[in-house]
Coordinates of all heavy atoms in Angstrom, one line a residue:
A70 N 9.5 21.0 -8.3 CA 9.1 22.3 -8.7 C 10.3 23.2 -8.7 O 11.3 23.1 -8.0 CB 8.0 22.8 -7.8
K71 N 10.2 24.3 -9.5 CA 11.2 25.3 -9.6 C 11.5 25.9 -8.2 O 10.6 26.2 -7.5 CB 10.8 26.4 -10.6 CG 10.8 25.9 -12.0 CD 10.6 27.1 -13.0 CE 9.2 27.6 -12.8 NZ 8.8 28.6 -13.9
A72 N 12.8 26.0 -7.9 CA 13.2 26.5 -6.6 C 12.6 27.9 -6.3 O 12.4 28.2 -5.1 CB 14.7 26.5 -6.5
S73 N 12.3 28.7 -7.3 CA 11.8 30.1 -7.0 C 10.5 30.1 -6.3 O 10.1 31.0 -5.6 CB 11.7 30.8 -8.3 OG 10.9 30.2 -9.2
L74 N 9.7 29.0 -6.5 CA 8.4 28.9 -5.8 C 8.5 28.7 -4.3 O 7.7 29.2 -3.6 CB 7.6 27.7 -6.4 CG 7.2 27.8 -7.9 CD1 6.6 26.5 -8.3 CD2 6.3 29.0 -8.2
F75 N 9.6 28.2 -3.9 CA 9.9 28.0 -2.5 C 10.3 29.2 -1.8 O 10.5 29.2 -0.5 CB 10.9 26.9 -2.3 CG 10.3 25.5 -2.7 CD1 10.3 25.1 -4.0 CD2 9.9 24.6 -1.7 CE1 9.8 23.9 -4.4 CE2 9.4 23.3 -2.0 CZ 9.3 22.9 -3.4
E76 N 10.6 30.3 -2.6 CA 11.1 31.5 -1.9 C 9.9 32.5 -1.7 O 10.1 33.6 -1.1 CB 12.1 32.2 -2.9 CG 13.4 31.3 -3.1 CD 14.3 31.8 -4.2 OE1 13.9 32.9 -4.8 OE2 15.3 31.2 -4.5
I77 N 8.7 32.1 -2.1 CA 7.5 33.0 -1.9 C 7.1 32.9 -0.5 O 7.0 31.8 0.1 CB 6.4 32.5 -2.8 CG1 6.8 32.6 -4.3 CG2 5.1 33.4 -2.6 CD1 5.8 32.0 -5.2
P78 N 7.0 34.0 0.2 CA 6.6 34.0 1.6 C 5.3 33.2 1.9 O 4.4 33.2 1.1 CB 6.3 35.5 2.0 CG 7.2 36.2 0.9 CD 7.1 35.4 -0.3
V79 N 5.3 32.4 2.9 CA 4.2 31.6 3.3 C 4.1 30.4 2.4 O 4.1 29.2 2.8 CB 2.9 32.3 3.5 CG1 1.8 31.4 4.0 CG2 3.1 33.5 4.4
A80 N 3.8 30.6 1.1 CA 3.6 29.6 0.1 C 4.9 28.7 0.1 O 4.7 27.4 -0.1 CB 3.3 30.1 -1.2
G81 N 6.0 29.2 0.1 CA 7.2 28.5 0.1 C 7.4 27.5 1.2 O 7.7 26.3 1.0
K82 N 7.0 28.0 2.4 CA 7.1 27.1 3.6 C 6.1 26.0 3.5 O 6.3 24.9 3.9 CB 7.0 27.9 4.8 CG 8.1 28.8 5.2 CD 7.9 29.5 6.5 CE 9.1 30.4 6.8 NZ 9.0 31.1 8.1
F83 N 4.9 26.4 2.9 CA 3.8 25.4 2.8 C 4.2 24.3 1.8 O 4.0 23.1 2.1 CB 2.6 26.1 2.3 CG 1.4 25.2 2.1 CD1 0.8 24.7 3.3 CD2 0.9 24.9 0.9 CE1 -0.3 23.9 3.2 CE2 -0.2 24.0 0.8 CZ -0.8 23.6 1.9
L84 N 4.8 24.7 0.7 CA 5.3 23.6 -0.3 C 6.3 22.7 0.4 O 6.2 21.5 0.2 CB 5.9 24.3 -1.5 CG 5.0 25.0 -2.5 CD1 5.7 25.8 -3.5 CD2 4.1 24.0 -3.2
A85 N 7.3 23.3 1.1 CA 8.3 22.5 1.8 C 7.7 21.5 2.8 O 8.1 20.4 3.0 CB 9.3 23.3 2.4
S86 N 6.7 22.0 3.5 CA 6.0 21.1 4.6 C 5.3 19.9 3.9 O 5.1 18.9 4.7 CB 5.0 22.0 5.3 OG 3.9 22.3 4.6
L87 N 5.0 20.0 2.7 CA 4.3 18.9 2.0 C 5.3 18.0 1.2 O 4.9 17.1 0.5 CB 3.2 19.4 1.0 CG 2.1 20.1 1.6 CD1 1.1 20.6 0.6 CD2 1.4 19.3 2.7
D88 N 6.6 18.2 1.5 CA 7.7 17.4 0.9 C 7.7 17.5 -0.6 O 8.2 16.6 -1.3 CB 7.5 15.9 1.3 CG 8.0 15.6 2.6 OD1 8.7 16.5 3.2 OD2 7.6 14.6 3.2

Side-chain angles (χ1 to χ4, degrees):
K71 290 187 291 187
S73 57
L74 296 176
F75 291 77
E76 298 170 3
I77 301 173
V79 182
K82 290 184 178 180
F83 182 71
L84 287 172
S86 72
L87 296 180
D88 283 342

